Amino acid sequence: MSLESELENLDLKSCMRKTPVEVEGIPLFSETAENWDSIWHFKARPDDLIICTYPKAGTTWTQEIVDMIQQGGDPQKCARAPIYKRMPFLEYCSPIPSSSSGFEIAKTMPSPRFLKTHLPVQLLPPSFWQQNCKIIYVARNIKDCVVSYFHFHLMHQFFPEPGTWDQFLEDFIAGNLNWGSWFDHVRGWWTAKNHHPILYLFYEDMKEDPAQEICKIAQFLEVELSELVVNQIVQHTIFEKMKGNPCVNYTTVPSLIMDQTVSPFMRKGTVGDWKEHFTVAQSERLDDICAQELEGSGLTFRTQL
Ligand code: A3P
């Protein structure tokens, strides 16, 4: 049965807009919470690479860059499957019965595996630390992140109802959304890089100088790239190109789940779109909260280029 016809037979409403369930105080999809024991005991392998982000920080972009690096800059090889099949989403468990969970897909994959997670540092399954796996963390400034997450909630039917922009912003600041507090997330992973091989990247740096950030990733992965291949990767992963690429733009997901007419997955891909959404008062308040929350951490973000 195709996924589309399965969806037609399924009581899809019961899967949609569900309230998150907390795991160790972090709100997660209820299906993730139900499978938490298996996720927590996931067996990492030493040559696994895991890409970690708070949602909407540029995960898909980084995934495609990593795959392009691994494939020697060959776009045909990257077109072998949609990104979510090439790099399983560790903790994602679909409410659709025939869809395998991220950790189950990962189990069957040959090494070296490339995985994705949005888990905060304290919820990463311990075997990743024990196996000393390489980790790429990507952070994005809070204002663009929350705007992107708002639109994603509007279009993705498995997320809770976002409510109005004003309500959503309050929920985000309070850490009530899936995967919890942005502040704890970016700080937690920032600290973890002091004792673990973590390449900590920023979305804004990737926008400003993609070639430089691609080279950083390649070096971290111990892959040598010629200038030509670096340029091929830059061209292939530029926003406009990725927007039209079905292997990364999530148009392969049925519109009953991700309604791209509400908001495309590849929405704007810019730094500073927050200015179209924030009032001056909201912006100043978030600046104050950010300054307090990040004080002494050494972490700074750019909200415009
Ligand atoms: P916007 O909603 O601001 O456009 P994630 O993959 O973590 O879910 O992040 C999605 C966000 O990254 C979206 O942000 C999306 O447009 C942006 N994005 C995806 N690919 C990109 C690219 N190649 N260049 C710049 N931004 C990209």
Side-chain angles (χ1 to χ4, degrees), residues 55-61 140 148 203 207 237-239 242 265-269:
K56 311 322 286 175
T59 328
T60 317
W61 187 11
R140 185 182 194 184
S148 182
Y203 179 97
K207 267 314 274 192
T237 56
I238 214 150
F239 177 75
M242 282 191 49
F265 181 88
M266 295 289 169
R267 199 182 58 88
K268 292 266 177 85

Side-chain angles (χ1 to χ4, degrees), residues 103-121:
F103 68 89
E104 282 167 349
I105 301 171
K107 268 190 214 168
T108 63
M109 282 178 87
S111 292
R113 298 183 296 190
F114 299 91
L115 310 168
K116 154 187 167 180
T117 183
H118 290 318
L119 290 171
V121 70

Side-chain angles (χ1 to χ4, degrees), residues 32-239:
T32 301
E34 280 157 26
N35 286 281
W36 185 250
D37 199 50
S38 305
I39 298 166
W40 181 249
H41 292 104
F42 180 79
K43 283 194 173 60
R45 302 176 196 151
D47 53 0
D48 286 342
L49 170 87
I50 186 154
I51 298 171
C52 307
T53 54
Y54 190 84
K56 311 322 286 175
T59 328
T60 317
W61 187 11
T62 311
Q63 287 177 282
E64 188 68 357
I65 289 173
V66 165
D67 199 29
M68 276 292 275
I69 291 173
Q70 288 308 118
Q71 306 304 331
D74 183 346
Q76 297 309 112
K77 289 188 181 157
C78 292
R80 68 195 181 280
I83 194 69
Y84 48 85
K85 293 204 171 145
R86 285 179 273 153
M87 296 192 190
F89 185 179
L90 182 67
E91 69 272 23
Y92 185 71
C93 304
S94 172
I96 300 162
S98 72
S99 301
S100 302
S101 307
F103 68 89
E104 282 167 349
I105 301 171
K107 268 190 214 168
T108 63
M109 282 178 87
S111 292
R113 298 183 296 190
F114 299 91
L115 310 168
K116 154 187 167 180
T117 183
H118 290 318
L119 290 171
V121 70
Q122 72 277 16
L123 291 188
L124 187 76
S127 64
F128 285 97
W129 307 117
Q130 287 152 8
Q131 298 293 341
N132 210 31
C133 299
K134 285 187 182 173
I135 296 174
I136 296 178
Y137 187 81
V138 188
R140 185 182 194 184
N141 83 76
I142 189 167
K143 290 178 178 173
D144 284 321
C145 206
V146 62
V147 166
S148 182
Y149 209 12
F150 177 61
H151 289 281
F152 195 53
H153 273 70
L154 290 173
M155 69 88 86
H156 197 314
Q157 308 300 311
F158 290 166
F159 277 85
E161 285 289 352
T164 65
W165 159 246
D166 292 357
Q167 287 164 344
F168 187 82
L169 180 60
E170 291 312 311
D171 279 340
F172 181 90
I173 292 170
N176 292 339
L177 305 179
N178 281 1
W179 290 286
S181 157
W182 177 92
F183 303 105
D184 292 346
H185 212 280
V186 296
R187 263 188 329 225
W189 282 102
W190 181 253
T191 307
K193 76 178 174 33
N194 298 335
H195 54 79
H196 195 87
I198 297 174
L199 178 68
Y200 199 105
L201 301 172
F202 294 89
Y203 179 97
E204 295 74 28
D205 295 346
M206 289 167 61
K207 267 314 274 192
E208 189 173 61
D209 192 344
Q212 178 183 285
E213 300 310 295
I214 288 167
C215 289
K216 270 191 206 166
I217 298 173
Q219 200 176 8
F220 184 67
L221 299 178
E222 296 169 81
V223 176
E224 276 196 35
L225 297 180
S226 67
E227 212 179 309
L228 179 75
V229 171
V230 172
N231 285 333
Q232 280 167 345
I233 299 175
V234 171
Q235 293 314 317
H236 176 77
T237 56
I238 214 150
F239 177 75

